[in-house]
Amino acid sequence: QKWNDTLPMFPLGTFACNILGCALSGSIGSLLAGNPGPEESIVLVSMISGFAGSLSTLATFLVEVLNRIDPILFQLDGAQYALITVFWGMVVGLVTNQATNWADEL
């Protein structure tokens, strides 16, 4: 709540949590690509769906997007926030997912 009040038209706290969740999902997902054993797979999938999934707050994200859209006044701050979040989420997820490939090449 403290970070969300910093910029009234952009919920910085929710944005930071969602991007951190994408980073965790991407980095842990890259570990799954290395064909771990069955026990390790269960732990890694549980970490992605449990910790990173609960950290990235989809319900709060949707509420904040819809609260920032007003079709009568043509305020589309929610759409702008949604596009920025989805773009940076994809970028961070891709970078953290490919980090192990880049580290192996060094």
Side-chain angles (χ1 to χ4, degrees):
Q1 187 66 26
K2 179 180 173 184
W3 284 19
N4 285 348
D5 295 337
T6 305
L7 300 171
M9 301 314 277
F10 193 85
L12 195 58
T14 306
F15 177 76
C17 286
N18 287 335
I19 297 302
L20 184 59
C22 289
L24 286 173
S25 295
S27 60
I28 295 171
S30 67
L31 295 175
L32 279 172
N35 295 325
E39 293 86 14
E40 291 88 1
S41 293
I42 292 172
V43 170
L44 292 174
V45 169
S46 298
M47 288 175 65
I48 290 174
S49 60
F51 184 68
S54 65
L55 181 62
S56 60
T57 53
L58 180 63
T60 305
F61 172 72
L62 291 176
V63 167
E64 288 176 346
V65 167
L66 294 176
N67 284 341
R68 286 171 172 74
I69 294 177
D70 189 358
I72 295 172
L73 298 176
F74 297 111
Q75 284 185 331
L76 300 175
D77 294 330
Q80 179 184 10
Y81 166 61
L83 290 173
I84 290 170
T85 302
V86 169
F87 173 77
W88 282 110
M90 291 174 64
V91 168
V92 168
L94 176 68
V95 168
T96 55
N97 189 12
Q98 295 299 318
T100 56
N101 293 341
W102 294 332
D104 289 340
E105 291 177 7
L106 292 178

